[in-house]
Amino acid sequence: MSTRLPRRIVVTGGAGFLGSHLCTRLIEAGHEVLCVDNFYTGTKANIAHLIGHPSFELLRHDITFPLYVEADEIYNLACPASPVHYQHDPVQTTKTCVHGSINMLGLAKRLDARILQASTSEVYGDPAEHPQREDYWGHVNPNGIRACYDEGKRCAETLFADYHRQYGLKVKIARIFNTYGPHMRPDDGRVISNLAMQALAGEPLTVYGDGSQTRSFCFVDDLIDGLVRLMNSPDDFCGPVNLGNTEETTMLEIAEKIQRLAGTSPGIIHRPLPQDDPVRRCPDIGLAQRMLGWQPTTSLDEGLARTLAYFKRRFFEQAEARASQVVTSLVYPATDQV
């Protein structure tokens, strides 16, 4: 595996959940990083610890418009990834996947830079094969409410593959399965963040359907390691390659784990399944194991404990501090100064 140390790396969506962790990992490895984000779902809080670092630069930019910078490598992570956010403006989601990919591929072509596309397990849709391998073409509703993301990412993969075939561009395609950890937004509508916030607030946990549908959850540190390994893989290995955890867990099991780790037992309520929600989702990571020497190492219990600690520290303690300030201002009202 190559050990090149590029002079400069662009991370689009760098202030988001995955992007912020990737920026940190790259800075720690000695790279210069340009974080590009329009802050639609990313937050400056995720990268606050990097502001001021001599090797870190932040640029507010929407990749649906061309970007003119210099770089050796590009990680294209820019796109809202949770149903709540990508369904809020589905046309813009498709534009980000398609126009954004065209713009970033054009930049990589001009610079002769390596470029990695953060694709998704959603390209498999509601899969008819289990577990999902990279040679499975998927089972996607092209007109459903999730299609802006599912089909947008599928089209992005097509563009990356064609830029490689037509122009010889050095591309990498990662199909990311469910990932969780610190820097997730509490309002992103994903199962881990939903259940964690409900448990910490002492509220009943919401499980959709009967809870028998499954997911496989990969901790963010493991996922970022996979992305870096893929970027550093030989030029003739483009992917797509699945990155995710193979430990399959039902929604009911994950809710019970989170309740136990949070030390609460407010009960579980069931809601109808959302439209086009996959029943089973689990990767076959044999290709990543063979080509990248990669597999997840963080247990679900350990990852959930670290995620709950982040939510508690980041959101609940801040809420308690704000409430305390309100009480103080009521007990000791400010007086006008003459």
Side-chain angles (χ1 to χ4, degrees):
M1 184 175 294
S2 172
T3 58
R4 297 178 307 111
L5 292 178
R7 178 176 50 82
R8 192 172 194 188
I9 300 174
V10 171
V11 179
T12 71
F17 166 43
L18 296 182
S20 58
H21 284 276
L22 178 59
C23 287
T24 299
R25 180 74 64 91
L26 296 173
I27 289 290
E28 291 174 348
H31 302 288
E32 292 185 16
V33 174
L34 173 61
C35 169
V36 178
D37 206 296
N38 67 353
F39 295 103
Y40 177 63
T41 57
T43 67
K44 288 184 179 178
N46 286 343
I47 52 170
H49 61 291
L50 296 176
I51 301 296
H53 192 288
S55 297
F56 180 79
E57 186 177 356
L58 174 62
L59 175 65
R60 182 188 288 269
H61 180 80
D62 186 330
I63 66 164
T64 60
F65 298 93
L67 178 64
Y68 302 101
V69 296
E70 301 298 317
D72 301 297
E73 294 181 351
I74 302 167
Y75 288 84
N76 187 35
L77 274 61
C79 187
S82 74
V84 168
H85 295 135
Y86 67 64
Q87 291 173 15
H88 176 71
D89 190 344
V91 172
Q92 184 63 25
T93 297
T94 303
K95 285 182 177 180
T96 301
C97 290
V98 179
H99 292 181
S101 291
I102 291 171
N103 288 331
M104 291 302 101
L105 286 163
L107 176 63
K109 180 173 177 284
R110 179 178 70 82
L111 300 174
D112 191 27
R114 286 185 168 205
I115 181 168
L116 182 148
Q117 167 65 5
S119 190
T120 172
S121 61
E122 298 299 331
V123 300
Y124 297 122
D126 188 2
E129 292 188 11
H130 188 83
Q132 291 82 60
R133 297 195 330 174
E134 291 86 354
D135 58 2
Y136 174 55
W137 291 351
H139 178 219
V140 176
N141 177 359
N143 302 306
I145 59 174
R146 301 168 68 102
C148 58
Y149 185 70
D150 301 2
E151 295 286 34
K153 290 289 190 177
R154 286 163 69 96
C155 185
E157 286 197 15
T158 300
L159 285 163
F160 270 71
D162 283 339
Y163 264 77
H164 172 68
R165 284 188 287 259
Q166 187 168 341
Y167 302 115
L169 198 63
K170 296 182 285 291
V171 308
K172 309 288 179 179
I173 301 172
R175 288 180 179 165
I176 299 171
F177 282 68
N178 293 72
T179 305
Y180 70 101
H183 296 187
M184 295 182 77
R185 287 182 52 146
D187 61 348
D188 66 8
R190 302 187 202 188
V191 59
I192 297 290
S193 49
N194 277 355
L195 295 175
M197 296 298 287
Q198 290 173 337
L200 291 171
E203 301 172 353
L205 274 61
T206 302
V207 171
Y208 294 93
D210 62 5
S212 63
Q213 66 273 31
T214 67
R215 296 293 184 274
S216 52
F217 296 98
C218 184
F219 190 63
V220 63
D221 289 355
D222 293 329
L223 190 282
I224 297 303
D225 181 55
L227 292 179
V228 173
R229 285 172 180 259
L230 177 57
M231 180 65 91
N232 291 331
S233 63
D235 289 348
D236 60 356
F237 180 64
C238 301
V241 59
N242 291 335
L243 296 178
N245 200 311
T246 58
E247 182 183 343
E248 199 171 356
T249 309
T250 70
M251 296 298 95
L252 199 55
E253 288 170 342
I254 200 74
E256 291 168 348
K257 278 181 179 288
I258 288 174
Q259 278 192 333
R260 175 174 55 80
L261 289 167
T264 59
S265 55
I268 293 173
I269 56 175
H270 292 263
R271 301 291 189 200
L273 276 173
Q275 181 183 338
D276 297 330
D277 193 50
V279 175
R280 301 186 75 183
R281 182 62 60 71
C282 183
D284 181 315
I285 61 170
L287 185 61
Q289 290 172 323
R290 293 191 305 274
M291 298 300 298
L292 308 178
W294 177 87
Q295 64 182 23
T297 60
T298 306
S299 71
L300 185 56
D301 282 350
E302 178 189 348
L304 287 175
R306 291 169 64 180
T307 305
L308 286 165
Y310 166 77
F311 279 132
K312 185 174 182 180
R313 180 178 65 254
R314 179 74 174 82
F315 299 103
F316 284 90
E317 290 181 358
Q318 287 184 1
E320 290 174 1
R322 288 193 295 270
S324 177
Q325 290 173 356
V326 170
V327 171
T328 302
S329 66
L330 292 173
V331 175
Y332 303 105
T335 56
D336 293 335
Q337 299 296 313
V338 178

mmCIF file of all heavy atoms in Angstrom, residues 13 16-17 37-38 40-42 62-64 77-97 118 120 122 146 148-150 153 185 188 190:
data_model
loop_
_atom_site.group_PDB
_atom_site.id
_atom_site.type_symbol
_atom_site.label_atom_id
_atom_site.label_comp_id
_atom_site.label_asym_id
_atom_site.label_seq_id
_atom_site.Cartn_x
_atom_site.Cartn_y
_atom_site.Cartn_z
ATOM 1 N N GLY A 13 -17.544 18.650 2.178
ATOM 2 C CA GLY A 13 -18.368 18.199 3.293
ATOM 3 C C GLY A 13 -17.527 18.005 4.544
ATOM 4 O O GLY A 13 -17.875 17.219 5.423
ATOM 5 N N GLY A 16 -18.937 18.155 8.169
ATOM 6 C CA GLY A 16 -20.009 17.229 8.507
ATOM 7 C C GLY A 16 -19.546 16.141 9.457
ATOM 8 O O GLY A 16 -18.424 16.174 9.977
ATOM 9 N N PHE A 17 -20.409 15.175 9.680
ATOM 10 C CA PHE A 17 -20.122 14.075 10.606
ATOM 11 C C PHE A 17 -18.855 13.327 10.201
ATOM 12 O O PHE A 17 -17.851 13.315 10.930
ATOM 13 C CB PHE A 17 -21.345 13.154 10.652
ATOM 14 C CG PHE A 17 -21.113 11.812 11.287
ATOM 15 C CD1 PHE A 17 -20.369 11.683 12.452
ATOM 16 C CD2 PHE A 17 -21.659 10.664 10.719
ATOM 17 C CE1 PHE A 17 -20.155 10.435 13.031
ATOM 18 C CE2 PHE A 17 -21.463 9.416 11.293
ATOM 19 C CZ PHE A 17 -20.703 9.307 12.445
ATOM 20 N N ASP A 37 -17.141 23.299 2.741
ATOM 21 C CA ASP A 37 -18.484 22.965 3.233
ATOM 22 C C ASP A 37 -19.392 24.179 3.064
ATOM 23 O O ASP A 37 -18.953 25.317 3.251
ATOM 24 C CB ASP A 37 -18.422 22.572 4.717
ATOM 25 C CG ASP A 37 -19.551 21.640 5.125
ATOM 26 O OD1 ASP A 37 -20.719 22.076 5.061
ATOM 27 O OD2 ASP A 37 -19.277 20.491 5.513
ATOM 28 N N ASN A 38 -20.668 23.931 2.719
ATOM 29 C CA ASN A 38 -21.630 25.031 2.656
ATOM 30 C C ASN A 38 -22.455 25.148 3.932
ATOM 31 O O ASN A 38 -23.337 26.000 4.034
ATOM 32 C CB ASN A 38 -22.556 24.885 1.440
ATOM 33 C CG ASN A 38 -23.484 23.691 1.547
ATOM 34 O OD1 ASN A 38 -23.387 22.871 2.467
ATOM 35 N ND2 ASN A 38 -24.398 23.562 0.595
ATOM 36 N N TYR A 40 -24.779 23.293 5.162
ATOM 37 C CA TYR A 40 -26.193 22.906 5.105
ATOM 38 C C TYR A 40 -26.495 21.920 6.235
ATOM 39 O O TYR A 40 -27.501 22.051 6.935
ATOM 40 C CB TYR A 40 -26.511 22.301 3.743
ATOM 41 C CG TYR A 40 -27.929 21.803 3.598
ATOM 42 C CD1 TYR A 40 -29.007 22.674 3.684
ATOM 43 C CD2 TYR A 40 -28.190 20.449 3.373
ATOM 44 C CE1 TYR A 40 -30.309 22.222 3.566
ATOM 45 C CE2 TYR A 40 -29.489 19.988 3.237
ATOM 46 C CZ TYR A 40 -30.536 20.874 3.332
ATOM 47 O OH TYR A 40 -31.831 20.419 3.222
ATOM 48 N N THR A 41 -25.637 20.933 6.422
ATOM 49 C CA THR A 41 -25.780 20.024 7.557
ATOM 50 C C THR A 41 -24.528 19.997 8.424
ATOM 51 O O THR A 41 -24.587 19.575 9.573
ATOM 52 C CB THR A 41 -26.087 18.584 7.090
ATOM 53 O OG1 THR A 41 -25.053 18.141 6.213
ATOM 54 C CG2 THR A 41 -27.428 18.518 6.379
ATOM 55 N N GLY A 42 -23.392 20.415 7.901
ATOM 56 C CA GLY A 42 -22.173 20.475 8.699
ATOM 57 C C GLY A 42 -22.213 21.645 9.668
ATOM 58 O O GLY A 42 -23.001 22.592 9.501
ATOM 59 N N ASP A 62 -20.374 25.780 -1.964
ATOM 60 C CA ASP A 62 -21.330 24.768 -2.400
ATOM 61 C C ASP A 62 -20.766 24.117 -3.657
ATOM 62 O O ASP A 62 -20.534 24.801 -4.664
ATOM 63 C CB ASP A 62 -22.675 25.427 -2.691
ATOM 64 C CG ASP A 62 -23.777 24.432 -3.010
ATOM 65 O OD1 ASP A 62 -23.473 23.352 -3.559
ATOM 66 O OD2 ASP A 62 -24.953 24.733 -2.728
ATOM 67 N N ILE A 63 -20.540 22.804 -3.623
ATOM 68 C CA ILE A 63 -19.869 22.148 -4.749
ATOM 69 C C ILE A 63 -20.749 22.010 -5.982
ATOM 70 O O ILE A 63 -20.272 21.522 -7.017
ATOM 71 C CB ILE A 63 -19.292 20.770 -4.361
ATOM 72 C CG1 ILE A 63 -20.405 19.773 -4.031
ATOM 73 C CG2 ILE A 63 -18.276 20.909 -3.248
ATOM 74 C CD1 ILE A 63 -19.932 18.333 -4.022
ATOM 75 N N THR A 64 -22.010 22.440 -5.920
ATOM 76 C CA THR A 64 -22.786 22.484 -7.156
ATOM 77 C C THR A 64 -22.287 23.610 -8.059
ATOM 78 O O THR A 64 -22.716 23.719 -9.215
ATOM 79 C CB THR A 64 -24.292 22.662 -6.879
ATOM 80 O OG1 THR A 64 -24.508 23.882 -6.175
ATOM 81 C CG2 THR A 64 -24.833 21.501 -6.067
ATOM 82 N N LEU A 77 -17.100 14.147 -0.005
ATOM 83 C CA LEU A 77 -18.077 13.693 0.988
ATOM 84 C C LEU A 77 -19.300 14.594 1.046
ATOM 85 O O LEU A 77 -20.214 14.349 1.852
ATOM 86 C CB LEU A 77 -17.437 13.643 2.383
ATOM 87 C CG LEU A 77 -16.676 12.358 2.771
ATOM 88 C CD1 LEU A 77 -15.505 12.094 1.849
ATOM 89 C CD2 LEU A 77 -16.194 12.454 4.222
ATOM 90 N N ALA A 78 -19.338 15.645 0.249
ATOM 91 C CA ALA A 78 -20.402 16.643 0.369
ATOM 92 C C ALA A 78 -21.732 16.102 -0.122
ATOM 93 O O ALA A 78 -21.884 15.802 -1.301
ATOM 94 C CB ALA A 78 -20.029 17.898 -0.409
ATOM 95 N N CYS A 79 -22.680 15.962 0.781
ATOM 96 C CA CYS A 79 -24.071 15.608 0.458
ATOM 97 C C CYS A 79 -24.790 15.325 1.765
ATOM 98 O O CYS A 79 -24.245 14.622 2.628
ATOM 99 C CB CYS A 79 -24.155 14.375 -0.442
ATOM 100 S SG CYS A 79 -25.848 14.045 -1.022
ATOM 101 N N PRO A 80 -25.998 15.857 1.958
ATOM 102 C CA PRO A 80 -26.767 15.455 3.143
ATOM 103 C C PRO A 80 -27.022 13.957 3.085
ATOM 104 O O PRO A 80 -27.405 13.421 2.043
ATOM 105 C CB PRO A 80 -28.069 16.262 3.035
ATOM 106 C CG PRO A 80 -28.159 16.652 1.589
ATOM 107 C CD PRO A 80 -26.750 16.786 1.106
ATOM 108 N N ALA A 81 -26.794 13.270 4.211
ATOM 109 C CA ALA A 81 -26.815 11.805 4.192
ATOM 110 C C ALA A 81 -27.958 11.188 4.986
ATOM 111 O O ALA A 81 -28.151 9.976 4.925
ATOM 112 C CB ALA A 81 -25.480 11.260 4.712
ATOM 113 N N SER A 82 -28.710 11.978 5.728
ATOM 114 C CA SER A 82 -29.829 11.410 6.483
ATOM 115 C C SER A 82 -31.136 11.741 5.778
ATOM 116 O O SER A 82 -31.256 12.803 5.145
ATOM 117 C CB SER A 82 -29.859 11.965 7.906
ATOM 118 O OG SER A 82 -30.313 13.307 7.912
ATOM 119 N N PRO A 83 -32.122 10.839 5.845
ATOM 120 C CA PRO A 83 -33.397 11.093 5.146
ATOM 121 C C PRO A 83 -34.034 12.430 5.511
ATOM 122 O O PRO A 83 -34.587 13.107 4.633
ATOM 123 C CB PRO A 83 -34.270 9.908 5.582
ATOM 124 C CG PRO A 83 -33.297 8.814 5.870
ATOM 125 C CD PRO A 83 -32.084 9.496 6.469
ATOM 126 N N VAL A 84 -33.966 12.829 6.769
ATOM 127 C CA VAL A 84 -34.562 14.103 7.178
ATOM 128 C C VAL A 84 -33.988 15.249 6.361
ATOM 129 O O VAL A 84 -34.718 16.138 5.907
ATOM 130 C CB VAL A 84 -34.325 14.352 8.683
ATOM 131 C CG1 VAL A 84 -34.673 15.787 9.055
ATOM 132 C CG2 VAL A 84 -35.159 13.390 9.517
ATOM 133 N N HIS A 85 -32.684 15.236 6.155
ATOM 134 C CA HIS A 85 -32.028 16.346 5.469
ATOM 135 C C HIS A 85 -32.069 16.219 3.961
ATOM 136 O O HIS A 85 -32.303 17.199 3.253
ATOM 137 C CB HIS A 85 -30.584 16.476 5.970
ATOM 138 C CG HIS A 85 -30.491 16.851 7.406
ATOM 139 N ND1 HIS A 85 -29.628 16.245 8.296
ATOM 140 C CD2 HIS A 85 -31.177 17.766 8.137
ATOM 141 C CE1 HIS A 85 -29.776 16.779 9.497
ATOM 142 N NE2 HIS A 85 -30.708 17.693 9.419
ATOM 143 N N TYR A 86 -31.841 15.013 3.411
ATOM 144 C CA TYR A 86 -31.813 14.944 1.946
ATOM 145 C C TYR A 86 -33.212 14.999 1.347
ATOM 146 O O TYR A 86 -33.375 15.380 0.181
ATOM 147 C CB TYR A 86 -31.000 13.759 1.432
ATOM 148 C CG TYR A 86 -31.487 12.347 1.671
ATOM 149 C CD1 TYR A 86 -32.668 11.869 1.129
ATOM 150 C CD2 TYR A 86 -30.695 11.447 2.395
ATOM 151 C CE1 TYR A 86 -33.078 10.561 1.312
ATOM 152 C CE2 TYR A 86 -31.092 10.138 2.591
ATOM 153 C CZ TYR A 86 -32.289 9.689 2.042
ATOM 154 O OH TYR A 86 -32.692 8.384 2.229
ATOM 155 N N GLN A 87 -34.257 14.682 2.130
ATOM 156 C CA GLN A 87 -35.617 14.798 1.622
ATOM 157 C C GLN A 87 -36.186 16.206 1.796
ATOM 158 O O GLN A 87 -37.215 16.533 1.210
ATOM 159 C CB GLN A 87 -36.529 13.782 2.318
ATOM 160 C CG GLN A 87 -36.230 12.347 1.928
ATOM 161 C CD GLN A 87 -37.011 11.331 2.752
ATOM 162 O OE1 GLN A 87 -37.972 11.671 3.423
ATOM 163 N NE2 GLN A 87 -36.583 10.079 2.698
ATOM 164 N N HIS A 88 -35.515 17.036 2.588
ATOM 165 C CA HIS A 88 -35.987 18.412 2.780
ATOM 166 C C HIS A 88 -35.929 19.202 1.489
ATOM 167 O O HIS A 88 -36.819 20.005 1.186
ATOM 168 C CB HIS A 88 -35.132 19.099 3.861
ATOM 169 C CG HIS A 88 -35.477 20.542 4.059
ATOM 170 N ND1 HIS A 88 -36.658 20.933 4.652
ATOM 171 C CD2 HIS A 88 -34.809 21.684 3.726
ATOM 172 C CE1 HIS A 88 -36.700 22.264 4.698
ATOM 173 N NE2 HIS A 88 -35.597 22.738 4.127
ATOM 174 N N ASP A 89 -34.872 18.989 0.701
ATOM 175 C CA ASP A 89 -34.725 19.657 -0.596
ATOM 176 C C ASP A 89 -34.187 18.619 -1.583
ATOM 177 O O ASP A 89 -33.000 18.604 -1.914
ATOM 178 C CB ASP A 89 -33.760 20.845 -0.474
ATOM 179 C CG ASP A 89 -33.741 21.720 -1.717
ATOM 180 O OD1 ASP A 89 -34.235 21.260 -2.772
ATOM 181 O OD2 ASP A 89 -33.240 22.861 -1.640
ATOM 182 N N PRO A 90 -35.063 17.736 -2.066
ATOM 183 C CA PRO A 90 -34.603 16.615 -2.887
ATOM 184 C C PRO A 90 -33.936 17.034 -4.190
ATOM 185 O O PRO A 90 -33.006 16.372 -4.652
ATOM 186 C CB PRO A 90 -35.876 15.800 -3.145
ATOM 187 C CG PRO A 90 -37.001 16.733 -2.894
ATOM 188 C CD PRO A 90 -36.520 17.682 -1.847
ATOM 189 N N VAL A 91 -34.387 18.135 -4.783
ATOM 190 C CA VAL A 91 -33.763 18.596 -6.027
ATOM 191 C C VAL A 91 -32.318 19.010 -5.758
ATOM 192 O O VAL A 91 -31.398 18.660 -6.515
ATOM 193 C CB VAL A 91 -34.567 19.759 -6.644
ATOM 194 C CG1 VAL A 91 -33.813 20.375 -7.816
ATOM 195 C CG2 VAL A 91 -35.945 19.281 -7.099
ATOM 196 N N GLN A 92 -32.101 19.735 -4.674
ATOM 197 C CA GLN A 92 -30.741 20.139 -4.332
ATOM 198 C C GLN A 92 -29.867 18.931 -3.988
ATOM 199 O O GLN A 92 -28.670 18.913 -4.297
ATOM 200 C CB GLN A 92 -30.759 21.120 -3.154
ATOM 201 C CG GLN A 92 -29.396 21.686 -2.775
ATOM 202 C CD GLN A 92 -28.771 22.519 -3.888
ATOM 203 O OE1 GLN A 92 -29.476 23.067 -4.731
ATOM 204 N NE2 GLN A 92 -27.443 22.595 -3.907
ATOM 205 N N THR A 93 -30.468 17.911 -3.367
ATOM 206 C CA THR A 93 -29.720 16.684 -3.067
ATOM 207 C C THR A 93 -29.218 16.037 -4.348
ATOM 208 O O THR A 93 -28.056 15.647 -4.455
ATOM 209 C CB THR A 93 -30.602 15.701 -2.289
ATOM 210 O OG1 THR A 93 -30.969 16.282 -1.030
ATOM 211 C CG2 THR A 93 -29.882 14.385 -2.043
ATOM 212 N N THR A 94 -30.090 15.928 -5.347
ATOM 213 C CA THR A 94 -29.680 15.348 -6.631
ATOM 214 C C THR A 94 -28.613 16.206 -7.294
ATOM 215 O O THR A 94 -27.634 15.691 -7.847
ATOM 216 C CB THR A 94 -30.889 15.186 -7.564
ATOM 217 O OG1 THR A 94 -31.889 14.383 -6.921
ATOM 218 C CG2 THR A 94 -30.489 14.520 -8.875
ATOM 219 N N LYS A 95 -28.782 17.526 -7.227
ATOM 220 C CA LYS A 95 -27.778 18.428 -7.803
ATOM 221 C C LYS A 95 -26.420 18.240 -7.127
ATOM 222 O O LYS A 95 -25.383 18.246 -7.795
ATOM 223 C CB LYS A 95 -28.225 19.883 -7.660
ATOM 224 C CG LYS A 95 -29.319 20.307 -8.615
ATOM 225 C CD LYS A 95 -29.646 21.783 -8.425
ATOM 226 C CE LYS A 95 -30.686 22.270 -9.424
ATOM 227 N NZ LYS A 95 -31.001 23.710 -9.222
ATOM 228 N N THR A 96 -26.432 18.081 -5.821
ATOM 229 C CA THR A 96 -25.171 17.899 -5.102
ATOM 230 C C THR A 96 -24.496 16.618 -5.546
ATOM 231 O O THR A 96 -23.274 16.576 -5.754
ATOM 232 C CB THR A 96 -25.413 17.879 -3.585
ATOM 233 O OG1 THR A 96 -26.035 19.110 -3.182
ATOM 234 C CG2 THR A 96 -24.103 17.714 -2.823
ATOM 235 N N CYS A 97 -25.274 15.545 -5.695
ATOM 236 C CA CYS A 97 -24.712 14.269 -6.133
ATOM 237 C C CYS A 97 -24.177 14.341 -7.555
ATOM 238 O O CYS A 97 -23.075 13.841 -7.837
ATOM 239 C CB CYS A 97 -25.769 13.168 -6.047
ATOM 240 S SG CYS A 97 -26.244 12.695 -4.379
ATOM 241 N N ALA A 118 -17.557 9.354 -1.785
ATOM 242 C CA ALA A 118 -18.278 8.731 -0.678
ATOM 243 C C ALA A 118 -19.656 8.328 -1.187
ATOM 244 O O ALA A 118 -20.601 9.118 -1.144
ATOM 245 C CB ALA A 118 -18.386 9.690 0.501
ATOM 246 N N THR A 120 -22.682 5.107 -1.067
ATOM 247 C CA THR A 120 -23.514 4.671 0.047
ATOM 248 C C THR A 120 -24.108 3.290 -0.195
ATOM 249 O O THR A 120 -24.291 2.872 -1.346
ATOM 250 C CB THR A 120 -24.673 5.678 0.255
ATOM 251 O OG1 THR A 120 -25.598 5.173 1.222
ATOM 252 C CG2 THR A 120 -25.434 5.906 -1.040
ATOM 253 N N GLU A 122 -27.023 2.773 0.197
ATOM 254 C CA GLU A 122 -28.360 3.034 -0.346
ATOM 255 C C GLU A 122 -28.439 2.740 -1.831
ATOM 256 O O GLU A 122 -29.536 2.652 -2.396
ATOM 257 C CB GLU A 122 -28.775 4.485 -0.075
ATOM 258 C CG GLU A 122 -28.876 4.849 1.402
ATOM 259 C CD GLU A 122 -29.902 4.039 2.156
ATOM 260 O OE1 GLU A 122 -30.899 3.595 1.542
ATOM 261 O OE2 GLU A 122 -29.710 3.825 3.363
ATOM 262 N N ARG A 146 -36.942 8.554 -1.416
ATOM 263 C CA ARG A 146 -35.518 8.407 -1.137
ATOM 264 C C ARG A 146 -34.664 8.444 -2.401
ATOM 265 O O ARG A 146 -33.434 8.412 -2.343
ATOM 266 C CB ARG A 146 -35.258 7.083 -0.404
ATOM 267 C CG ARG A 146 -35.995 6.929 0.908
ATOM 268 C CD ARG A 146 -35.920 5.500 1.421
ATOM 269 N NE ARG A 146 -34.583 5.135 1.829
ATOM 270 C CZ ARG A 146 -34.164 5.072 3.104
ATOM 271 N NH1 ARG A 146 -35.008 5.368 4.079
ATOM 272 N NH2 ARG A 146 -32.932 4.727 3.388
ATOM 273 N N CYS A 148 -33.865 10.707 -4.556
ATOM 274 C CA CYS A 148 -32.949 11.823 -4.772
ATOM 275 C C CYS A 148 -31.558 11.467 -4.263
ATOM 276 O O CYS A 148 -30.542 11.847 -4.884
ATOM 277 C CB CYS A 148 -33.454 13.084 -4.086
ATOM 278 S SG CYS A 148 -33.704 12.928 -2.293
ATOM 279 N N TYR A 149 -31.500 10.729 -3.181
ATOM 280 C CA TYR A 149 -30.223 10.317 -2.603
ATOM 281 C C TYR A 149 -29.740 9.009 -3.227
ATOM 282 O O TYR A 149 -28.604 8.923 -3.700
ATOM 283 C CB TYR A 149 -30.379 10.156 -1.087
ATOM 284 C CG TYR A 149 -29.101 9.844 -0.355
ATOM 285 C CD1 TYR A 149 -28.099 10.798 -0.227
ATOM 286 C CD2 TYR A 149 -28.907 8.595 0.241
ATOM 287 C CE1 TYR A 149 -26.924 10.521 0.462
ATOM 288 C CE2 TYR A 149 -27.738 8.309 0.927
ATOM 289 C CZ TYR A 149 -26.751 9.280 1.045
ATOM 290 O OH TYR A 149 -25.599 8.988 1.721
ATOM 291 N N ASP A 150 -30.618 7.998 -3.252
ATOM 292 C CA ASP A 150 -30.235 6.679 -3.777
ATOM 293 C C ASP A 150 -29.776 6.773 -5.229
ATOM 294 O O ASP A 150 -28.680 6.316 -5.592
ATOM 295 C CB ASP A 150 -31.419 5.707 -3.693
ATOM 296 C CG ASP A 150 -31.926 5.509 -2.277
ATOM 297 O OD1 ASP A 150 -31.392 6.153 -1.356
ATOM 298 O OD2 ASP A 150 -32.864 4.715 -2.095
ATOM 299 N N LYS A 153 -26.649 9.103 -5.818
ATOM 300 C CA LYS A 153 -25.374 8.441 -5.553
ATOM 301 C C LYS A 153 -25.043 7.404 -6.622
ATOM 302 O O LYS A 153 -23.872 7.195 -6.966
ATOM 303 C CB LYS A 153 -25.417 7.775 -4.172
ATOM 304 C CG LYS A 153 -25.419 8.751 -3.001
ATOM 305 C CD LYS A 153 -24.074 9.438 -2.838
ATOM 306 C CE LYS A 153 -24.002 10.226 -1.544
ATOM 307 N NZ LYS A 153 -22.675 10.850 -1.324
ATOM 308 N N ARG A 185 -25.381 14.710 14.168
ATOM 309 C CA ARG A 185 -26.363 15.709 14.582
ATOM 310 C C ARG A 185 -27.497 15.025 15.335
ATOM 311 O O ARG A 185 -27.950 13.947 14.936
ATOM 312 C CB ARG A 185 -26.915 16.451 13.368
ATOM 313 C CG ARG A 185 -25.934 17.431 12.769
ATOM 314 C CD ARG A 185 -26.517 18.179 11.604
ATOM 315 N NE ARG A 185 -27.795 18.811 11.921
ATOM 316 C CZ ARG A 185 -28.192 19.978 11.414
ATOM 317 N NH1 ARG A 185 -27.401 20.641 10.589
ATOM 318 N NH2 ARG A 185 -29.365 20.475 11.712
ATOM 319 N N ASP A 188 -30.756 14.467 13.038
ATOM 320 C CA ASP A 188 -30.584 13.963 11.672
ATOM 321 C C ASP A 188 -31.549 12.833 11.314
ATOM 322 O O ASP A 188 -31.577 12.382 10.171
ATOM 323 C CB ASP A 188 -29.136 13.537 11.415
ATOM 324 C CG ASP A 188 -28.687 12.332 12.244
ATOM 325 O OD1 ASP A 188 -29.542 11.715 12.912
ATOM 326 O OD2 ASP A 188 -27.487 12.015 12.224
ATOM 327 N N ARG A 190 -31.494 9.728 12.074
ATOM 328 C CA ARG A 190 -30.927 8.386 11.981
ATOM 329 C C ARG A 190 -31.213 7.615 13.259
ATOM 330 O O ARG A 190 -31.425 8.183 14.330
ATOM 331 C CB ARG A 190 -29.421 8.463 11.724
ATOM 332 C CG ARG A 190 -29.063 9.208 10.471
ATOM 333 C CD ARG A 190 -27.584 9.103 10.184
ATOM 334 N NE ARG A 190 -27.123 10.185 9.337
ATOM 335 C CZ ARG A 190 -25.910 10.246 8.810
ATOM 336 N NH1 ARG A 190 -25.037 9.294 9.060
ATOM 337 N NH2 ARG A 190 -25.564 11.264 8.050
#
